Amino acid sequence: MPYSFSPFFRLFLEQPVAQYCFSAALTSVLLTVPALAQQASSPGSAADTAVSLSTSPPLRPDTVASRLNRRLPLLAAGLAVSYTGLTYALSKGWYTGDKTSLHWFNDLREWKQLDKAGHFWGAFHESRGAVDMLQWAGVPERRAIWYGGFVGFLLQSPIELLDGRDPAYGASASDLAANFLGSVGLIGQQLAWHEVRIMPKYSFHTTPYAARRPNVLGKSLAEQYLKDYNGQTYWLCADVGAWLPAGSRWPRWLQPAVGYGAQQMVYNDPATNAAAGLQSYRQYYLSLDIDLRHIPTRSKLLRRVFYVASIFHIPAPALEWNKRRGFVARGLYY
């Protein structure tokens, strides 16, 4: 890669979010492909349009074999090219300095584990996209779950090898564990329920802390979106309607959500942060979420958009608890 591209990748791949940015890029690729590749179907009822991409009517064996033969090579080639290109860009754009022998670095205490939540979120949705793509390609459900379920872990984990040879960083066992748990979280739900009922999501709001250390927490809004952990919140949203009787009036698009975030984190090391007069603290949230996957629509375009956008938490009122102020009501939390 020409050297002129290097500053661009350094801008978006600076630590401590190199793995997170790479995860977000792969998540976008993996979730967009099955959405765009979804086979056109005839209009059905409003309820029928709310099903997931992986749901389709039974096919004859010859149809399944034909789909598998036509789509699987295309899918494999697309993933190989995307992954190779992104890995090459990352290695040339960020890991351009001196190399050392593989070593480990314990970063578990940093950033109140918000970066680990990001690894979990990324691996989960990469695996989710891979499972749906394999089912679209005609792979039987159980095989698609096992083969595609570990894609998130396999995609994100090699980055630890690059980090592990960088003198300034090191491979992180806790990052690997978060990657693994993200993939396992997807596999477990697909095996148990044949669908995702507990969805990890992400939301972001700007904070004043980025201005105190813009080189690390971001200068522009786009950088802060990826780098400022103070503004990041990770959610678990439960599809309670999936557990209710078929005749229940509970709308499946409305879901309770619990969130996790933290504040006053300008330095990744807690001692350095405290020396700067900052006392970081955790925040816990109770809110509602709109699951776009279950919004009835006859538009194939909207279904595709909703599928991709379902990785984000929709702003809504929330009840926050933290050890500083106790309970805090948020009229509209981002």
Side-chain angles (χ1 to χ4, degrees), residues 54-55 64 131-132 134-135 138-149 189-195:
S54 59
T55 302
V64 173
V131 169
D132 286 346
L134 287 174
Q135 290 185 312
V139 177
E141 181 188 22
R142 197 168 186 85
R143 290 184 182 179
I145 292 172
W146 283 111
Y147 295 161
Q189 294 191 58
Q190 290 285 8
L191 291 176
W193 304 312
H194 308 284
E195 63 180 350

Side-chain angles (χ1 to χ4, degrees), residues 1-14 18 21-22 25-26 29 80-97 99 159 162:
M1 175 178 295
Y3 177 77
S4 59
F5 282 91
S6 180
F8 173 82
F9 285 102
R10 285 183 179 276
L11 181 66
F12 290 100
L13 296 174
E14 281 185 338
C21 297
F22 188 64
L26 283 171
V29 171
V81 170
S82 300
Y83 182 62
T84 301
L86 288 170
T87 303
Y88 179 81
L90 181 61
S91 63
K92 293 298 183 181
W94 170 247
Y95 299 97
T96 56
K99 301 292 189 298
I159 301 176
L162 297 175

Side-chain angles (χ1 to χ4, degrees), residues 185-257:
L186 185 280
I187 292 172
Q189 294 191 58
Q190 290 285 8
L191 291 176
W193 304 312
H194 308 284
E195 63 180 350
V196 174
R197 296 186 179 182
I198 303 175
M199 179 81 84
K201 296 191 177 185
Y202 170 85
S203 66
F204 174 79
H205 61 273
T206 57
T207 74
Y209 302 105
R212 301 185 60 168
R213 203 180 177 201
N215 288 338
V216 172
L217 301 182
K219 301 182 183 67
S220 66
L221 178 61
E223 288 185 65
Q224 293 170 21
Y225 186 86
L226 295 172
K227 296 182 176 186
D228 186 3
Y229 288 117
N230 299 280
Q232 297 179 7
T233 307
Y234 290 93
W235 303 84
L236 289 177
C237 306
D239 182 5
V240 295
W243 284 286
L244 297 178
S248 172
R249 294 187 178 181
W250 179 277
R252 290 193 64 179
W253 52 264
L254 183 63
Q255 301 182 357

